[in-house]
């Protein structure tokens, strides 16, 4: 990646439509990729028509494989850095993307551990997939429809002030008793508070926990979330495989670029 690319040496001449058809793209998309710096600058015929080479085809293949691995924006930045000869910047972008994938895996593992902690009987065995998880047993109701802050805090082993902090962060959403004004935590609030406690014990910040709680709510509880976690795990694995494929194509393009 250490060479600054200007105009590639001519090999086999390819038209925009040749590159486009090979990948189910429009010729305008190919031209847009060149203008964005994803492809090297094309040579022009005396009549002003673009002519591409196998080097451009390799660049296009690399970019299209990098997109599912790193996302469109990062893949674009990687290819632009490569074409400018800025190796360190390209490597930094790739490293950041790998670090994000690792962080996402750790977050998924933390959620799975937290769910098992909420229901120890659901802890997975080494040779089995995670068992279905269920919400903890509801607390005895202090008032109509739920528990008051003191009872929930005591059950979780935390202070009432902590629950109020979690409420301000949107992690629990108790309603107010219309007669007393007391906070009333229903079964969903107990579930969310329990999950928050487990994730906090795992070292996660409130702003990191908030989107996970939102996923639980969107799934409709812990048990439906199991399917979402399986999908999440599959997407992470898919990104990992795509990163391997992207690295191979990028390396092939780099080799062609260095010898052009």
């Amino acid at each position: 990646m250490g060479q600054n690319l200007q105009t590639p040496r001519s090999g086999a001449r390819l038209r925009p439509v040749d590159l486009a058809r090979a990948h189910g793209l429009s010729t305008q998309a190919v031209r847009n990729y060149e203008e964005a710096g994803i492809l090297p600058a094309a040579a022009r015929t005396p009549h002003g028509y673009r002519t591409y080479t196998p080097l451009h085809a390799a660049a296009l293949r690399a970019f299209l494989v990098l997109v599912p691995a790193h996302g469109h924006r990062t893949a674009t930045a990687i290819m632009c850095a490569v074409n400018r000869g800025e190796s360190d910047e390209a490597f930094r972008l790739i490293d950041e993307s790998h670090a994000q994938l690792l962080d996402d895996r750790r977050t998924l593992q933390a959620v799975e551990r937290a769910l098992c902690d909420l229901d120890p009987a659901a802890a997975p065995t080494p040779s089995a997939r995670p068992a279905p998880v269920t919400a903890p047993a509801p607390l005895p109701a202090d008032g109509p429809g739920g528990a008051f802050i003191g009872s929930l805090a005591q059950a979780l082993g935390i202070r009432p002030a902590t629950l109020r902090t979690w409420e301000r962060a949107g992690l629990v959403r108790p309603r107010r008793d219309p007669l007393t004004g007391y906070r009333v935590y229903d079964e969903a609030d107990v579930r969310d508070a329990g999950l928050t406690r487990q994730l906090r014990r795992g070292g996660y910040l409130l702003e990191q926990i908030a989107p996970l709680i939102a996923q639980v709510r969107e799934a409709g509880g812990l048990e439906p979330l199991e399917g979402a976690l399986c999908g999440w795990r599959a997407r992470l694995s898919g990104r990992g495989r795509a990163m391997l494929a992207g690295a191979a194509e990028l390396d092939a393009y780099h080799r062609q670029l260095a010898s052009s």
Side-chain angles (χ1 to χ4, degrees), residues 139 142 147-161 163 197:
L139 295 177
D142 293 312
F148 291 158
I149 190 169
S151 298
L152 180 56
Q154 182 178 7
L156 295 176
I158 59 177
R159 295 178 299 136
L163 278 172
R197 180 195 61 175

Side-chain angles (χ1 to χ4, degrees), residues 97-114:
S97 194
H98 279 277
Q100 181 61 58
L101 177 60
L102 179 59
D103 187 60
D104 289 346
R105 286 191 185 280
R106 287 171 173 165
T107 299
L108 172 60
Q109 290 167 356
V111 173
E112 291 174 331
R113 285 195 301 268

Side-chain angles (χ1 to χ4, degrees), residues 201-237:
R201 288 174 58 186
Y204 284 83
L205 303 176
L206 297 185
E207 56 265 31
Q208 295 173 309
I209 297 172
L212 304 178
I213 296 295
Q215 288 188 19
V216 174
R217 291 172 181 158
E218 184 177 353
L222 297 176
E223 189 170 354
L225 185 64
E226 185 185 8
L229 292 178
C230 290
W232 187 359
R233 191 181 306 108
R235 288 192 298 273
L236 294 181
S237 296

Side-chain angles (χ1 to χ4, degrees), residues 17-259:
V17 68
D18 297 323
L19 270 66
R21 285 175 177 169
H23 301 284
L25 301 172
S26 67
T27 55
Q28 185 59 51
V30 173
R31 289 191 288 267
N32 291 343
Y33 290 155
E34 181 194 344
E35 291 172 3
I38 294 168
L39 304 184
R44 299 278 185 152
T45 68
H47 298 288
Y49 294 111
R50 290 176 171 87
T51 59
Y52 295 115
T53 69
L55 182 64
H56 293 92
L60 183 57
R61 285 195 303 272
F63 172 70
L64 294 177
V65 176
L66 288 171
V67 168
H70 304 278
H72 193 281
R73 178 178 297 182
T74 299
T76 297
I78 290 170
M79 293 301 298
C80 289
V82 169
N83 290 331
R84 292 194 304 266
E86 299 175 359
S87 302
D88 287 344
E89 175 62 11
F91 294 147
R92 182 190 67 79
L93 292 165
I94 293 170
D95 290 345
E96 284 189 350
S97 194
H98 279 277
Q100 181 61 58
L101 177 60
L102 179 59
D103 187 60
D104 289 346
R105 286 191 185 280
R106 287 171 173 165
T107 299
L108 172 60
Q109 290 167 356
V111 173
E112 291 174 331
R113 285 195 301 268
L115 296 181
C116 287
D117 287 342
L118 288 175
D119 182 9
T125 62
S127 61
R129 62 185 295 275
V133 294
T134 58
L139 295 177
D142 293 312
F148 291 158
I149 190 169
S151 298
L152 180 56
Q154 182 178 7
L156 295 176
I158 59 177
R159 295 178 299 136
T162 300
L163 278 172
R164 288 192 286 269
T165 298
W166 294 354
E167 180 182 348
R168 288 192 294 271
L171 304 177
V172 290
R173 301 185 296 191
R175 63 181 179 83
R176 295 279 185 160
D177 184 277
L179 297 178
T180 65
Y182 293 161
R183 292 173 173 84
V184 179
Y185 297 84
D186 62 17
E187 187 175 343
D189 296 317
V190 173
R191 174 201 69 204
D192 295 345
L195 182 55
T196 298
R197 180 195 61 175
Q198 296 298 337
L199 292 170
R200 287 292 291 139
R201 288 174 58 186
Y204 284 83
L205 303 176
L206 297 185
E207 56 265 31
Q208 295 173 309
I209 297 172
L212 304 178
I213 296 295
Q215 288 188 19
V216 174
R217 291 172 181 158
E218 184 177 353
L222 297 176
E223 189 170 354
L225 185 64
E226 185 185 8
L229 292 178
C230 290
W232 187 359
R233 191 181 306 108
R235 288 192 298 273
L236 294 181
S237 296
R239 279 170 55 194
R241 289 192 298 270
M243 285 181 177
L244 290 176
E249 288 292 348
L250 188 62
D251 181 63
Y253 173 58
H254 171 225
R255 291 176 184 274
Q256 283 189 247
L257 181 60
S259 61

